[in-house]
Amino acid sequence: MLELKRLNSGYGRAQVLFDFELRLGAGEVVALLGRNGAGKSTALKATMGLLPLFSGEILFNREKLQGLEPFRIARLGLGYVPEDRRIFTGLSVRENLEAGRQPPRAGAPRWTPEKLFELFPNLGRMRDRNGVSMSGGEQQMLAIARTLMGNPRALLLDEPFEGLAPVIVDAVAASIRELKREGLSVLLCEQNLRYARLVADRACIIEMGRICHTGSLAGLDSDPALRERYLSF
Amino acid sequence: MSWESILIQLLNGLAGASSLFLVAAGLSLIFGVTRIVNFAHGSLYMLGMYLAVWLSGRVGFWVAVPLAAVSVGLVGFFIEFFLLKKIYKAPELLQLLATFALALVIKDAALWAWGPEDMLGPRAPGFSGAVNIAGSAVPQYDLLLILLGPLVLVFLQLVLSKTRWGILVRAASEDREMAGALGVNQRWLFTGVFVLGALLAGLGGALQIPREPASLNVDLRVISDAFVVVVVGGLGSIPGAFLAALLIAEAKAFCTGLGYSEATLVIEFVIMAAVLVWRPWGLLGRAQAPAKNPGFAQAPAEFPARKVFIAGAVLLAVLALLPVAAGGYTLVLLTDMLVFALFATSLHFIMGPGGLYSFGHAAYFGIGAYAAGILVLNKITTMEFALALAPLAAGLGALLFGWFCVRLSGVYSAMLTLAFAQIAWSAAFQWNALTGGSNGMVGIWPAPWLASKTAYYYLTLILCAAAISFFWRAIHSPFGYALRAGRDSPQRADASGIDVRAVQWAAFTIAGLAAGVAGSLYAFSKGSISPESLGIQRSVDGLVMVMLGGIQTLTGPLWGAALFTWLQDATARNLDYWRAVTGMVILALVLLLPNGIGSFFQKKK
Ligand SMILES: Nc1ncnc2c1ncn2[C@@H]1O[C@H](COP(=O)(O)OP(=O)(O)OP(=O)(O)O)[C@@H](O)[C@H]1O
Ligand SMILES: [Mg+2]
């Protein structure tokens, strides 16, 4: 589905990613784990075309993404939810969803605001509320819902559980599992192994911009030394 | 001065507010999405006026107005598609310069198409009569315009809140990058918004023709009025633009109604000051995130090494020896070059190290020139004293205007500098008793001992060289470091105990003072002054000089000023369309050589 090959990228002259490699299979949920500043967000931004690639190749359903503008990448069916959510605060919930709407796509689940309000009942209760007055959890749900309005085939989620209350974490995790059932592939950045365990099939660990471990979550659970070395939680 | 006359003026003001609102709304809309302040927006309004007058004679008023608006929208399409698309990622300053250049080109296009004479428009058929209100005749057409403003406001609000396009425009105004990551093609959004904004400006102009003839001066007047409106109302807010247009138009109308039409400039100023102190982002505006691509990524100006000192000394020696060989004409040209070298250096000081964009630096040049003229012609002081005092007047002007400009950043500040220059120009143009109005002043000659071209050249050389080296020293003094720190990261500078605003204010004032020196030297060398000496064109000249020389370089303004003055002397006097040529040169510079000729030579080395 999504394949990142030897990505080198960064901000201006400061390189952050070094020969970064990752594969995301169809219908798979992969957790990209790493400490603060390891380069997780950078990897997602580079994939989404928000950062220039110094070199490397990105394949998405056999289409090359490198060099494409972000809106083209989004229109190929890759959805992105940034870590700071970036919902449009001057727009209502409905309008935020409208801003994310794209035509239906073959081979991807088709979302409507009504379906999304079922997936995130909290949002359904505040359709006309402005983005300014929403809690962190509500904003996170809205950010995911807004991206789903583009009917993506794969999702890039950047730390979706950050700063959420435990109940909300469970709710968001449940909806991510629901998305997987609908056939979406998800690449999710996470610092916290506990949260990753809620949803992910597989984990990749990033350290200083390089992938240094790939394997099952069970494998990670049974290897305290590995956890100690690369993760803080 | 009765209640009736005030009422009539208020109605008159409301009618004017509608046109102003249309321009300001377009300006705001375009800025919201593209982050470009369109300095050519007043020119689009002017184009709307001319087109409407011209078309009225062929197809009648009521067809001509929408046709003119649509045509201006089409012009907007071409501007956006062929020029702006190329500079969306360019530094803010270059974007401002490019749209500014466009204004010059459009003005000359109108001059070419319709000639220099004002063009009187027809009355609006069906609305040519008057209505009796409180014993006075109010034109029906004014009442129509009064109605039209709120209608357009409601229409725009509906489009923005109810259509998908409007929602995307609002989303992109808030976070362009995120909108892109959601699959929104900004390219068409930008084009669409620009076309709508241009159309509104064109409509505003077209609707104005029964009230006012189309003239070539409209563009700058309207753009500076619109700038004041968006600064007061809040850039990016359409209801804000409406509110501010009403407020300003009514305040001005009230002054006129009371019989103090001279006070209209002052009242505008007072309103702006009050709003900026009370709500720095305008009545209904929101704080702007700092620009993603502000000024230039500037290498710190290199410390003048020994070589540069020696080169400077040699240059100075050559300049000092020149009068032996050069004739009178060359001396006058050299004097001009020196004066403009100082003017450009002072402008460069606030734009380069200071990071403040000034689109109205000529105001201080002009204040200096006028002050010198007024002092000498009214026999208040001798020429020598006038030369010493006049720059102080310019410095005072800069002190006053600068207070506002440093309170705002980036485009806001740029808009204010232009608005202030326009105010200074209006004052010089209108204040007949003091400034001679549009005729200017003549007979401003230097003292007898400086009367020869050679003596005056030496005086200019000494003063300009001293002032320029003062600026070079200042850049490398603690003051200069503080200034650059404030430009590069205001927060960090603030945290380390630098009062960024105070430093910038001081720099602005010093630069104004130096421009005043240049201006008063210029006045005595020419013997006369006219309002052109503080006109927008002079400000543009300064910008072109700085651009030509390259904003990153220390000595750039000198080369830029010399080259520009020489070029103007050699060609401009024979050209009818010098504005268009300047505009084209700026556009070419922005698109091809954004770092100036200085940097071009440096790369070659
Ligand atoms: N806008 C930026 N400009 C320059 N450097 C940046 C920028 N954003 C991040 N970096 C640097 O890139 C590196 C990786 O940052 P990144 O945001 O990808 O980390 P992360 O793994 O997402 O961390 P976190 O868990 O804190 O979100 C860090 O060293 C960071 O300092
Ligand atoms: Mg991150």
Side-chain angles (χ1 to χ4, degrees):
Chain A
M1 171 117 293
L2 178 67
E3 207 173 334
L4 314 180
K5 293 181 184 166
R6 302 182 74 86
L7 297 192
N8 288 285
S9 180
Y11 305 86
R13 256 176 260 158
Q15 188 168 352
V16 174
L17 295 182
F18 298 87
D19 287 339
F20 182 86
E21 302 250 348
L22 196 140
R23 298 173 65 101
L24 177 69
E28 201 184 14
V29 178
V30 172
L32 178 59
L33 296 167
R35 290 209 176 98
N36 274 329
K40 305 182 292 293
S41 302
T42 308
L44 295 197
K45 285 185 212 158
T47 309
M48 205 56 210
L50 297 169
L51 280 179
L53 288 188
F54 303 162
S55 69
E57 207 184 2
I58 306 173
L59 290 177
F60 180 58
N61 292 319
R62 277 179 238 94
E63 302 223 40
K64 283 188 186 151
L65 298 191
Q66 67 267 26
L68 293 187
E69 285 175 81
F71 85 91
R72 296 236 174 263
I73 295 178
R75 287 182 178 190
L76 287 172
L78 188 59
Y80 168 65
V81 181
E83 70 186 315
D84 40 2
R85 288 132 196 188
R86 292 167 76 168
I87 63 168
F88 303 118
T89 49
L91 273 58
S92 69
V93 167
R94 264 177 210 283
E95 290 172 334
N96 265 284
L97 295 182
E98 177 61 30
R101 183 167 67 85
Q102 293 291 322
R105 194 183 313 283
R110 205 182 147 172
W111 295 98
T112 59
E114 293 314 315
K115 269 181 81 181
L116 286 165
F117 292 146
E118 275 170 38
L119 187 68
F120 301 108
N122 291 19
L123 291 183
R125 285 191 286 274
M126 47 176 78
R127 296 165 200 223
D128 295 311
R129 181 98 73 84
N130 249 24
V132 197
S133 57
M134 296 175 75
S135 73
E138 291 156 357
Q139 291 199 1
Q140 184 63 57
M141 291 180 196
L142 178 56
I144 297 177
R146 182 182 63 178
T147 301
L148 287 175
M149 282 297 286
N151 304 312
R153 285 186 244 210
L155 265 188
L156 308 175
L157 293 181
D158 201 343
E159 304 203 28
F161 305 114
E162 194 189 3
L164 303 190
V167 204
I168 310 288
V169 167
D170 289 338
V172 171
S175 22
I176 294 177
R177 285 194 298 266
E178 173 66 29
L179 294 178
K180 179 180 149 76
R181 267 197 297 283
E182 296 259 3
L184 253 74
S185 320
V186 178
L187 173 60
L188 150 127
C189 292
E190 195 44 71
Q191 293 185 43
N192 192 325
L193 184 58
R194 193 155 48 87
Y195 290 156
R197 225 183 267 130
L198 292 174
V199 289
D201 307 316
R202 208 154 58 80
C204 300
I205 299 182
I206 177 174
E207 170 78 7
M208 311 267 289
R210 290 181 178 82
I211 287 290
C212 53
H213 174 87
T214 307
S216 68
L217 279 157
L220 259 180
D221 281 336
S222 59
D223 192 344
L226 194 64
R227 290 208 304 269
E228 184 69 17
R229 213 162 135 208
Y230 297 120
L231 303 174
S232 12
F233 300 94
Chain B
M1 193 190 85
S2 60
W3 282 113
E4 285 76 36
S5 79
I6 291 177
L7 179 73
I8 296 305
Q9 284 302 332
L10 287 182
L11 287 174
N12 190 26
L14 276 177
S18 286
S19 279
L20 192 54
F21 162 65
L22 292 188
V23 186
L27 195 68
S28 248
L29 211 56
I30 292 172
F31 175 79
V33 177
T34 64
R35 299 285 132 175
I36 286 186
V37 169
N38 182 21
F39 271 66
H41 220 61
S43 317
L44 295 174
Y45 177 98
M46 179 185 79
L47 215 51
M49 285 184 101
Y50 272 105
L51 279 171
V53 173
W54 184 69
L55 286 169
S56 294
R58 286 161 181 74
V59 295
F61 179 80
W62 289 114
V63 180
V65 167
L67 206 58
V70 170
S71 312
V72 174
L74 203 65
V75 171
F77 172 80
F78 285 110
I79 292 174
E80 202 278 343
F81 201 81
F82 292 106
L83 173 66
L84 299 187
K85 281 224 186 309
K86 304 209 165 33
I87 57 168
Y88 282 131
K89 297 222 167 83
E92 212 172 44
L93 176 60
L94 291 191
Q95 298 174 338
L96 294 175
L97 276 170
T99 61
F100 205 54
L102 209 56
L104 300 178
V105 175
I106 293 176
K107 197 198 269 277
D108 267 4
L111 173 66
W112 174 80
W114 292 292
E117 299 299 326
D118 288 3
M119 271 167 66
L120 219 54
R123 294 191 165 213
F127 289 86
S128 48
V131 180
N132 194 326
I133 294 179
S136 312
V138 178
Q140 285 172 334
Y141 190 73
D142 280 13
L143 296 177
L144 181 71
L145 280 187
I146 291 174
L147 214 64
L148 212 70
L151 278 180
V152 172
L153 173 68
V154 169
F155 170 76
L156 285 178
Q157 292 298 87
L158 278 178
V159 167
L160 286 178
S161 60
K162 296 288 180 239
T163 66
R164 172 168 170 83
W165 186 79
I167 290 172
L168 294 183
V169 164
R170 278 156 62 214
S173 305
E174 222 180 282
D175 190 340
R176 268 202 269 183
E177 197 184 49
M178 193 60 226
L182 289 169
V184 177
N185 184 355
Q186 301 175 28
R187 226 167 280 144
W188 288 111
L189 209 56
F190 283 18
T191 310
V193 166
F194 198 86
V195 169
L196 177 62
L199 195 141
L200 285 174
L203 183 64
L207 284 172
Q208 194 66 3
I209 57 165
R211 308 180 75 227
E212 192 188 345
S215 97
L216 290 171
N217 296 323
V218 165
D219 55 351
L220 287 172
R221 200 199 68 217
V222 167
I223 193 69
S224 55
D225 278 352
F227 281 171
V228 174
V229 165
V230 292
V231 165
V232 169
L235 196 50
S237 163
I238 289 176
F242 185 74
L243 199 65
L246 280 190
L247 183 68
I248 289 172
E250 288 306 85
K252 281 184 167 182
F254 196 66
C255 286
T256 317
L258 287 177
Y260 300 108
S261 51
E262 300 83 10
T264 52
L265 288 176
V266 181
I267 196 77
E268 196 167 351
F269 206 77
V270 170
I271 292 177
M272 201 153 61
V275 169
L276 287 181
V277 171
W278 175 49
R279 288 186 67 98
W281 303 110
L283 291 175
L284 299 182
R286 284 209 255 171
Q288 298 293 337
K292 278 266 164 58
N293 42 1
F296 291 82
Q298 291 179 11
E302 72 289 6
F303 192 81
R306 210 197 187 89
K307 258 197 287 184
V308 178
F309 272 128
I310 295 172
V314 171
L315 180 66
L316 204 57
V318 171
L319 285 175
L321 288 175
L322 265 177
V324 180
Y329 181 77
T330 318
L331 275 185
V332 170
L333 184 61
L334 280 170
T335 307
D336 280 359
M337 283 184 182
L338 288 170
V339 164
F340 286 114
L342 175 56
F343 179 57
T345 303
S346 68
L347 177 60
H348 173 263
F349 183 66
I350 44 174
M351 299 223 326
L356 293 163
Y357 315 141
S358 178
F359 282 74
H361 202 53
Y364 315 106
F365 185 91
I367 295 177
Y370 268 102
I374 290 166
L375 286 173
V376 170
L377 287 187
N378 295 317
K379 306 223 163 28
I380 299 170
T381 62
T382 61
M383 177 263 173
E384 293 87 342
F385 270 115
L387 200 55
L389 288 177
L392 293 182
L396 266 176
L399 194 73
L400 179 65
F401 293 159
W403 186 87
F404 295 94
C405 297
V406 302
R407 233 140 274 268
L408 297 174
S409 59
V411 293
Y412 266 97
S413 163
M415 296 189 320
L416 275 190
T417 55
L418 182 85
F420 287 145
Q422 184 67 13
I423 289 175
W425 179 85
S426 309
F429 197 78
Q430 290 173 2
W431 204 348
N432 260 318
L434 193 65
T435 62
S438 57
N439 298 325
M441 301 155 88
V442 289
I444 311 161
W445 293 114
W449 64 278
L450 290 166
S452 84
K453 299 236 173 341
T454 316
Y456 199 76
Y457 169 78
Y458 278 121
L459 174 78
T460 311
L461 179 62
I462 291 167
L463 287 179
C464 291
I468 290 171
S469 40
F470 165 80
F471 278 115
W472 290 359
R473 282 297 308 158
I475 288 178
H476 297 287
S477 69
F479 178 77
Y481 292 127
L483 192 61
R484 273 150 56 191
R487 173 197 73 191
D488 293 334
S489 59
Q491 285 92 359
R492 227 180 305 162
D494 252 336
S496 60
I498 298 170
D499 186 345
V500 175
R501 273 188 193 163
V503 170
Q504 289 182 334
W505 192 21
F508 198 94
T509 308
I510 295 170
L513 195 80
V517 173
S520 43
L521 280 170
Y522 187 74
F524 287 117
S525 100
K526 296 290 172 234
S528 64
I529 2 167
S530 64
E532 272 95 75
S533 65
L534 39 59
I536 298 297
Q537 180 61 33
R538 174 103 338 124
S539 297
V540 182
D541 290 351
L543 286 168
V544 176
M545 291 171 197
V546 172
M547 285 279 292
L548 268 174
I551 197 154
Q552 286 98 331
T553 58
L554 196 62
T555 54
L558 302 193
W559 312 129
L563 183 65
F564 184 87
T565 311
W566 174 73
L567 270 179
Q568 202 174 35
D569 184 73
T571 64
R573 281 175 309 167
N574 311 320
L575 273 179
D576 287 335
Y577 298 104
W578 45 269
R579 270 188 239 108
V581 173
T582 331
M584 301 283 192
V585 169
I586 302 181
L587 286 177
L589 279 175
V590 166
L591 292 175
L592 305 174
L593 219 69
N595 295 327
I597 46 171
S599 67
F600 182 68
F601 289 129
Q602 273 172 358
K603 249 180 259 155
K604 281 279 152 108
K605 261 192 259 171

